[in-house]
């Protein structure tokens, strides 16, 4: 079989004869060998020169010629290299400034009035004392929900059960977001914002009954309200605190706390440029914002004049610069004042103090004296924090 197979295989011949087989037998055949070749003759090949030698001969003198021409025209930077270098430096400086501006904007100092993001429908009261005070006082129209993490305070739990308030346990991150990363003590109360009545003026006082009248504005109409005030052997007449453009919510909260603790009867806020009654104020005041009667005043000059006429109220303004001598009181002169007449203590802005028109309408001005012998001119501590000053003045008036 092998012999037959081999013999058969040797008798096989190709059916098609390859042309020019003898010519291309020993040559390498490529795909593009039959394509026409169009070769461009280079300039240096035409001149029979090397490429580098040809370029040197043709263009080596051009730069020197341009440099000479620019130098004759007064150009000290013939090729623009120096100008390009300065342009690059300028561009780098602009880029650095832009990068610094973007970085700084991320850490910009916020305005003291900003506080939490405003929400006209909901307040998130945080902190144990603030929540308890809000639930006890019931000054807000409604409460929505109580959020807490971990064990809930027994008193808060009892007050929520009596008021039929839903209680929801959440994680700490949710509490941080609702309180804007304030010190929430693992409890937040969702409720309606506190309503602040607008005050038109103060009225007459009845020392025997311990009451005084005030006119509130209800739908653009004045309504007379009769309120009670605290009385004791040192205090026969009411004491109110008027805050004129105190913009820091921490100062407002601290003044509220001092006023309530020392025995002031109510607080009035200027309607414009004064810190709003936010959850931050409630937290700093340790819940006093829910307990102390608070009003707002849109027209302070009219409020001052009408309160003097109708109720005989005396306005004493804290002032530290260029106090008028004719109506200026020493600190000890405030003692026992509420035994003889009703008093409104006016506290001004943290930096500029009370406004000029407020000072002009005030009956008296008072200043807390500097307690050291050295001159205040060369001392960085030349005044007190507005909340501390207010506490000292309130305590002096009431004792």
């Amino acid at each position: 079989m092998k012999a037959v197979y081999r013999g058969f295989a040797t008798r096989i011949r190709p059916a098609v004869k390859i042309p020019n087989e003898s010519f291309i037998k020993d040559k390498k055949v490529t795909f593009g060998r039959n394509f026409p070749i169009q070769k461009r003759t280079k300039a240096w090949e035409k001149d029979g020169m090397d490429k580098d030698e040809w370029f040197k001969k043709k263009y080596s003198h051009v730069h020197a010629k341009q440099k000479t021409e620019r130098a004759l025209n007064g150009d000290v930077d013939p090729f623009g290299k120096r100008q390009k270098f300065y342009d690059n430096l300028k561009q780098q400086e602009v880029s650095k400034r832009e990068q610094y501006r973007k970085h700084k904007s991320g850490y910009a100092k916020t305005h003291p009035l900003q506080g939490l993001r405003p929400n006209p429908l909901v307040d998130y009261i945080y902190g144990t004392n603030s929540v308890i005070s809000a639930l006890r006082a019931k000054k807000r129209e409604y409460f929505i929900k109580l959020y807490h993490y971990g064990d809930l305070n027994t008193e808060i739990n009892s007050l929520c059960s009596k008021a039929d308030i839903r209680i929801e346990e959440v994680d700490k991150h949710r509490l941080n977001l609702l309180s804007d990363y304030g010190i929430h003590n693992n409890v937040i109360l969702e409720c309606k914002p506190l309503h602040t009545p607008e005050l038109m003026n103060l009225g007459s006082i009845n020392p025997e009954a311990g009451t005084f009248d005030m006119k509130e504005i209800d739908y653009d109409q004045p309504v007379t309200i009769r309120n009670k005030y605290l009385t004791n052997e040192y205090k026969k007449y009411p004491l109110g605190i008027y805050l004129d453009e105190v913009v820091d919510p921490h100062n407002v909260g601290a003044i509220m706390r001092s006023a309530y603790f020392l025995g002031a009867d109510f607080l009035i806020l200027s309607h414009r440029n004064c810190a709003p009654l936010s959850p931050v104020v409630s937290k700093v005041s340790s819940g006093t914002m829910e307990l102390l009667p608070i009003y707002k005043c849109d027209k302070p000059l009219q409020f001052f004049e009408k309160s003097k006429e109708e109720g005989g109220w005396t306005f004493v303004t804290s002032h530290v610069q260029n106090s008028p001598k004719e109506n200026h009181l020493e600190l000890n002169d405030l003692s026992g004042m509420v035994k003889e007449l009703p008093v409104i203590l006016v506290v001004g802005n943290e930096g500029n103090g009370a406004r000029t028109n407020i000072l002009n309408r005030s009956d008296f001005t008072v200043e807390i004296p500097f307690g050291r012998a050295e001159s205040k001119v060369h001392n960085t501590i030349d005044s007190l924090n507005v909340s501390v000053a207010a506490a000292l003045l309130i305590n002096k008036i009431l004792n």
Side-chain angles (χ1 to χ4, degrees):
M1 283 297 290
K2 290 183 179 180
V4 174
Y5 175 77
R6 287 176 180 176
F8 179 76
T10 55
R11 290 195 297 267
I12 296 176
R13 295 287 184 271
V16 179
K17 186 177 180 179
I18 300 174
N20 300 327
E21 181 179 3
S22 60
F23 177 74
I24 64 174
K25 185 176 182 181
D26 298 329
K27 293 185 178 181
K28 185 177 180 181
V29 180
T30 59
F31 176 75
R33 67 183 182 85
N34 294 323
F35 285 86
I37 299 175
Q38 296 180 356
K39 185 178 180 182
R40 180 182 177 183
T41 305
K42 307 297 182 181
W44 54 86
E45 293 177 351
K46 292 180 180 180
D47 296 341
M49 300 174 64
D50 183 64
K51 179 179 179 180
D52 294 338
E53 182 183 359
W54 186 85
F55 271 96
K56 286 180 181 179
K57 180 180 179 182
K58 187 171 182 64
Y59 297 107
S60 61
H61 65 285
V62 173
H63 297 293
K65 183 178 179 181
Q66 291 177 350
K67 183 177 181 180
T68 304
E69 292 177 354
R70 292 181 179 181
L72 293 175
N73 295 331
D75 191 354
V76 296
D77 187 19
F79 300 107
K81 293 182 178 180
R82 181 178 299 178
Q83 184 62 37
K84 188 175 182 180
F85 173 74
Y86 289 142
D87 291 342
N88 289 337
L89 289 181
K90 187 175 181 180
Q91 184 64 30
Q92 291 176 9
E93 184 68 22
V94 172
S95 178
K96 288 180 180 178
R97 289 181 180 178
E98 181 66 18
Q99 184 178 3
Y100 172 74
R101 187 190 64 79
K102 289 181 179 179
H103 177 76
K104 187 178 180 181
S105 63
Y107 299 91
K109 183 178 180 181
T110 58
H111 193 273
L113 292 181
Q114 182 176 350
L116 299 177
R117 290 181 295 179
N119 189 336
L121 300 177
V122 176
D123 263 357
Y124 293 99
I125 304 299
Y126 58 89
T128 304
N129 292 337
S130 299
V131 171
I132 291 177
S133 298
L135 293 173
R136 282 180 178 176
K138 298 180 181 179
K139 291 173 64 176
R140 300 174 184 264
E141 293 186 16
Y142 57 81
F143 302 100
I144 303 173
K145 188 186 296 185
L146 182 90
Y147 302 91
H148 75 98
Y149 170 79
D151 297 333
L152 183 61
N153 183 282
T154 54
E155 185 175 2
I156 294 177
N157 192 6
S158 175
L159 290 171
C160 289
S161 299
K162 291 179 181 178
D164 195 20
I165 300 173
R166 290 186 298 163
I167 300 176
E168 180 179 346
E169 185 173 3
V170 296
D171 57 1
K172 245 182 181 178
H173 180 64
R174 177 82 178 277
L175 298 179
N176 291 336
L177 293 178
L178 292 177
S179 64
D180 197 19
Y181 293 89
I183 303 176
H184 48 69
N185 305 131
N186 297 332
V187 60
I188 292 179
L189 178 63
E190 183 179 0
C191 55
K192 185 176 180 179
L194 188 64
H195 173 67
T196 309
E198 184 175 348
L199 199 59
M200 183 175 179
N201 66 279
L202 299 171
S204 58
I205 301 99
N206 186 350
E208 288 77 15
T211 60
F212 68 96
D213 295 337
M214 60 171 55
K215 288 185 179 179
E216 296 181 4
I217 298 178
D218 187 15
Y219 296 101
D220 297 331
Q221 297 296 326
V223 178
T224 302
I225 306 294
R226 179 160 294 177
N227 293 333
K228 293 187 68 66
Y229 65 90
L230 298 174
T231 58
N232 52 44
E233 57 178 330
Y234 303 106
K235 184 174 180 291
K236 302 300 181 184
Y237 290 89
L239 170 65
I241 313 298
Y242 184 93
L243 302 186
D244 182 47
E245 295 188 344
V246 179
V247 298
D248 192 343
H250 296 84
N251 285 332
V252 174
I255 293 173
M256 287 181 183
R257 185 171 183 173
S258 300
Y260 184 81
F261 180 82
L262 294 173
D265 297 292
F266 57 92
L267 187 88
I268 305 172
L269 304 174
S270 60
H271 187 70
R272 295 180 179 85
N273 303 325
C274 202
L277 298 180
S278 65
V280 177
V281 177
S282 180
K283 172 62 179 176
V284 176
S285 68
S286 191
T288 303
M289 189 180 82
E290 311 291 337
L291 307 175
L292 185 70
I294 302 174
Y295 306 92
K296 63 182 178 181
C297 179
D298 191 27
K299 300 177 180 179
L301 303 184
Q302 181 180 343
F303 169 77
F304 279 34
E305 295 298 333
K306 287 191 175 182
S307 298
K308 292 178 185 179
E309 294 175 3
E310 298 185 13
W313 290 78
T314 301
F315 290 83
V316 180
T317 302
S318 172
H319 194 49
V320 295
Q321 295 178 350
N322 301 324
S323 297
K325 299 299 182 182
E326 60 272 10
N327 63 346
H328 182 69
L329 297 177
E330 298 297 331
L331 186 62
N332 292 329
D333 296 336
L334 298 177
S335 298
M337 184 174 285
V338 287
K339 291 180 67 174
E340 302 175 1
L341 41 85
V343 178
I344 297 293
L345 176 63
V346 182
V347 180
N349 179 265
E350 293 90 339
N352 302 322
R355 290 174 287 179
T356 304
N357 51 10
I358 296 293
L359 289 171
N360 294 335
R361 298 302 195 284
S362 300
D363 298 295
F364 301 101
T365 60
V366 65
E367 177 182 358
I368 299 176
F370 191 68
R372 293 186 174 272
E374 58 263 24
S375 174
K376 293 187 292 184
V377 177
H378 303 291
N379 200 319
T380 56
I381 309 301
D382 59 352
S383 62
L384 291 172
N385 177 270
V386 64
S387 62
V388 177
L392 291 176
L393 294 173
I394 295 170
N395 184 64
K396 200 67 177 178
I397 294 173
L398 294 174
N399 293 314

